[in-house]
Amino acid sequence: MAEKKKGIFATLSSINTTDKVKEKNGLKYLPWSSAIQIVKGIYPKTTFEVIPQIVDDKGNTRPWHDDGKSGWVEVNVKIEADDGEICEAKEMLAIMNFKNQSISADQITSVDANKSIKRCLCKALAIASGIGLYIYEGEELPDELANVVKLQNECMELIKKKCNLSEKAKEKVGEICKAADENANGDPRLIEDIEVLSELKKQLMTVRK
């Protein structure tokens, strides 16, 4: 039987991007150029749209929003595979200065907005596809998605711990992981079902020497 082709999220979330991650002011981030290069390299039909704000009654717009106090940007990402599968996400991000503090609405420049748009693009790509998603763990991700990432990480830690017990334990871990989801090839990071991940975690915890 032919092996089932992995979906967009499973494909992109499994890519190791740690060598491309940068850090600034204590925060880690995946450069937008790297994220786009990876995603469009696999899914060239990927598109993104900056959602503008209408600023007058003539319909004129600008690429950022404000409420009179602070500002933010909105980006919509659409990733489309050749087989018709689509992953889409819309994200918002505050316009901040180099200290990661919100900029007053009357102080925002097009340069500030452009920087935030690129960061928002990366976050939207992460949520839509999983690329670099671990960077945002603990932030304001949707609860279900955050729980998936948390369980994936916990399973990976258990695998590492249990495999170090003995060769017998390592073999048992391999069997459990492969049986959890035949399409994941034994890798919990490719499993997106919370119930499957929870059950996998329970079984891994039972492995002994």
Side-chain angles (χ1 to χ4, degrees), residues 46-205:
T46 295
T47 59
F48 72 92
E49 175 189 11
V50 177
I51 311 299
Q53 180 179 43
I54 298 174
V55 295
D56 59 32
D57 56 8
K58 294 181 180 179
N60 291 312
T61 64
R62 66 180 178 202
W64 74 89
H65 303 246
D66 80 55
D67 57 4
K69 297 179 180 180
S70 60
W72 67 94
V73 296
E74 299 180 8
V75 176
N76 188 72
V77 164
K78 182 179 179 181
I79 304 171
E80 184 176 354
D82 290 336
D83 62 3
E85 180 189 3
I86 292 176
C87 283
E88 192 168 4
K90 179 180 177 181
E91 263 302 299
M92 300 170 60
L93 189 69
I95 299 176
M96 298 176 283
N97 60 22
F98 70 96
K99 293 182 180 180
N100 295 313
Q101 299 171 330
S102 293
I103 299 175
S104 298
D106 60 351
Q107 297 295 316
I108 295 173
T109 67
S110 58
V111 173
D112 298 322
N114 185 56
K115 289 179 180 178
S116 292
I117 286 169
K118 297 300 190 296
R119 293 175 64 187
C120 191
L121 169 60
C122 283
K123 197 163 188 179
L125 282 170
I127 292 177
S129 70
I131 186 77
L133 184 60
Y134 63 92
I135 295 172
Y136 302 99
E137 186 178 6
E139 290 191 13
E140 64 282 6
L141 292 175
D143 290 342
E144 184 175 352
L145 189 54
N147 286 335
V148 167
V149 174
K150 181 174 181 291
L151 282 167
Q152 288 173 337
N153 290 336
E154 289 174 348
C155 286
M156 291 302 296
E157 286 297 318
L158 280 169
I159 288 172
K160 182 178 179 181
K161 179 180 178 181
K162 298 297 183 177
C163 283
N164 287 331
L165 293 176
S166 66
E167 284 300 316
K168 182 179 179 181
K170 184 177 181 179
E171 183 178 342
K172 182 63 176 177
V173 166
E175 293 175 356
I176 292 174
C177 289
K178 288 179 181 178
D181 186 334
E182 61 180 12
N183 296 316
N185 297 317
D187 189 343
R189 293 169 296 185
L190 302 184
I191 301 175
E192 302 167 31
D193 189 303
I194 289 180
E195 292 184 4
V196 173
L197 284 167
S198 297
E199 182 60 29
L200 174 58
K201 179 183 175 181
K202 290 179 182 178
Q203 292 191 34
L204 288 171
M205 291 176 69

